[in-house]
PDB file of all heavy atoms in Angstrom:
ATOM      1  N   GLN K 737     -36.483  39.459   0.549  1.00 98.00           N
ATOM      2  CA  GLN K 737     -37.763  38.956  -0.034  1.00 98.00           C
ATOM      3  C   GLN K 737     -38.873  40.041   0.086  1.00 98.00           C
ATOM      4  O   GLN K 737     -39.681  40.280  -0.811  1.00 98.00           O
ATOM      5  CB  GLN K 737     -38.207  37.689   0.651  1.00 98.00           C
ATOM      6  CG  GLN K 737     -39.394  37.050  -0.060  1.00 98.00           C
ATOM      7  CD  GLN K 737     -39.932  35.865   0.673  1.00 98.00           C
ATOM      8  OE1 GLN K 737     -39.945  35.855   1.922  1.00 98.00           O
ATOM      9  NE2 GLN K 737     -40.433  34.878  -0.036  1.00 98.00           N
ATOM     10  N   GLN K 738     -38.926  40.685   1.210  1.00 98.00           N
ATOM     11  CA  GLN K 738     -39.906  41.733   1.393  1.00 98.00           C
ATOM     12  C   GLN K 738     -39.760  42.921   0.422  1.00 98.00           C
ATOM     13  O   GLN K 738     -40.636  43.469  -0.043  1.00 98.00           O
ATOM     14  CB  GLN K 738     -39.886  42.245   2.848  1.00 98.00           C
ATOM     15  CG  GLN K 738     -40.377  41.224   3.889  1.00 98.00           C
ATOM     16  CD  GLN K 738     -39.999  41.557   5.262  1.00 98.00           C
ATOM     17  OE1 GLN K 738     -39.059  42.311   5.573  1.00 98.00           O
ATOM     18  NE2 GLN K 738     -40.676  40.892   6.284  1.00 98.00           N
ATOM     19  N   LEU K 739     -38.497  43.264   0.185  1.00 98.00           N
ATOM     20  CA  LEU K 739     -38.251  44.368  -0.737  1.00 98.00           C
ATOM     21  C   LEU K 739     -38.540  43.906  -2.211  1.00 98.00           C
ATOM     22  O   LEU K 739     -39.159  44.638  -2.957  1.00 98.00           O
ATOM     23  CB  LEU K 739     -36.694  44.736  -0.738  1.00 98.00           C
ATOM     24  CG  LEU K 739     -36.254  45.525   0.517  1.00 98.00           C
ATOM     25  CD1 LEU K 739     -34.699  45.552   0.573  1.00 98.00           C
ATOM     26  CD2 LEU K 739     -36.824  46.969   0.452  1.00 98.00           C
ATOM     27  N   LEU K 740     -38.246  42.656  -2.536  1.00 98.00           N
ATOM     28  CA  LEU K 740     -38.504  42.137  -3.879  1.00 98.00           C
ATOM     29  C   LEU K 740     -39.998  42.195  -4.221  1.00 98.00           C
ATOM     30  O   LEU K 740     -40.358  42.592  -5.326  1.00 98.00           O
ATOM     31  CB  LEU K 740     -38.031  40.672  -3.944  1.00 98.00           C
ATOM     32  CG  LEU K 740     -38.301  39.967  -5.253  1.00 98.00           C
ATOM     33  CD1 LEU K 740     -37.499  40.571  -6.396  1.00 98.00           C
ATOM     34  CD2 LEU K 740     -38.035  38.466  -5.152  1.00 98.00           C
ATOM     35  N   HIS K 741     -40.859  41.873  -3.189  1.00 98.00           N
ATOM     36  CA  HIS K 741     -42.307  41.808  -3.428  1.00 98.00           C
ATOM     37  C   HIS K 741     -43.022  42.983  -2.916  1.00 98.00           C
ATOM     38  O   HIS K 741     -44.264  42.987  -2.848  1.00 98.00           O
ATOM     39  CB  HIS K 741     -42.865  40.547  -2.767  1.00 98.00           C
ATOM     40  CG  HIS K 741     -42.315  39.287  -3.402  1.00 98.00           C
ATOM     41  ND1 HIS K 741     -42.427  38.961  -4.714  1.00 98.00           N
ATOM     42  CD2 HIS K 741     -41.576  38.293  -2.814  1.00 98.00           C
ATOM     43  CE1 HIS K 741     -41.830  37.763  -4.923  1.00 98.00           C
ATOM     44  NE2 HIS K 741     -41.265  37.386  -3.814  1.00 98.00           N
ATOM     45  N   SER K 742     -42.305  44.039  -2.519  1.00 98.00           N
ATOM     46  CA  SER K 742     -42.957  45.247  -1.955  1.00 98.00           C
ATOM     47  C   SER K 742     -43.979  44.824  -0.856  1.00 98.00           C
ATOM     48  O   SER K 742     -45.158  45.202  -0.919  1.00 98.00           O
ATOM     49  CB  SER K 742     -43.610  46.122  -3.010  1.00 98.00           C
ATOM     50  OG  SER K 742     -42.666  46.548  -3.971  1.00 98.00           O
ATOM     51  N   ALA K 743     -43.488  44.023   0.097  1.00 98.00           N
ATOM     52  CA  ALA K 743     -44.448  43.449   1.040  1.00 98.00           C
ATOM     53  C   ALA K 743     -45.142  44.551   1.831  1.00 98.00           C
ATOM     54  O   ALA K 743     -44.600  45.601   2.155  1.00 98.00           O
ATOM     55  CB  ALA K 743     -43.602  42.578   1.983  1.00 98.00           C
ATOM     56  N   GLU K 744     -46.378  44.216   2.223  1.00 98.00           N
ATOM     57  CA  GLU K 744     -47.183  45.163   3.054  1.00 98.00           C
ATOM     58  C   GLU K 744     -47.045  44.742   4.487  1.00 98.00           C
ATOM     59  O   GLU K 744     -47.306  43.608   4.821  1.00 98.00           O
ATOM     60  CB  GLU K 744     -48.598  45.103   2.531  1.00 98.00           C
ATOM     61  CG  GLU K 744     -49.461  46.138   3.262  1.00 98.00           C
ATOM     62  CD  GLU K 744     -50.934  46.143   2.705  1.00 98.00           C
ATOM     63  OE1 GLU K 744     -51.126  46.371   1.504  1.00 98.00           O
ATOM     64  OE2 GLU K 744     -51.817  45.889   3.500  1.00 98.00           O
ATOM     65  N   LEU K 745     -46.820  45.750   5.313  1.00 98.00           N
ATOM     66  CA  LEU K 745     -46.725  45.530   6.788  1.00 98.00           C
ATOM     67  C   LEU K 745     -48.154  45.519   7.359  1.00 98.00           C
ATOM     68  O   LEU K 745     -49.125  45.923   6.676  1.00 98.00           O
ATOM     69  CB  LEU K 745     -45.915  46.581   7.498  1.00 98.00           C
ATOM     70  CG  LEU K 745     -44.489  46.659   7.038  1.00 98.00           C
ATOM     71  CD1 LEU K 745     -43.736  47.753   7.894  1.00 98.00           C
ATOM     72  CD2 LEU K 745     -43.747  45.341   7.232  1.00 98.00           C
ATOM     73  N   ALA K 746     -48.291  45.047   8.554  1.00 98.00           N
ATOM     74  CA  ALA K 746     -49.611  45.065   9.221  1.00 98.00           C
ATOM     75  C   ALA K 746     -50.226  46.339   9.298  1.00 98.00           C
ATOM     76  O   ALA K 746     -51.542  46.440   9.310  1.00 98.00           O
ATOM     77  CB  ALA K 746     -49.450  44.332  10.579  1.00 98.00           C
TER      78      ALA K 746
END
Side-chain angles (χ1 to χ4, degrees):
Q737 188 188 36
Q738 289 164 342
L739 287 168
L740 178 68
H741 297 299
S742 300
E744 184 178 300
L745 298 183

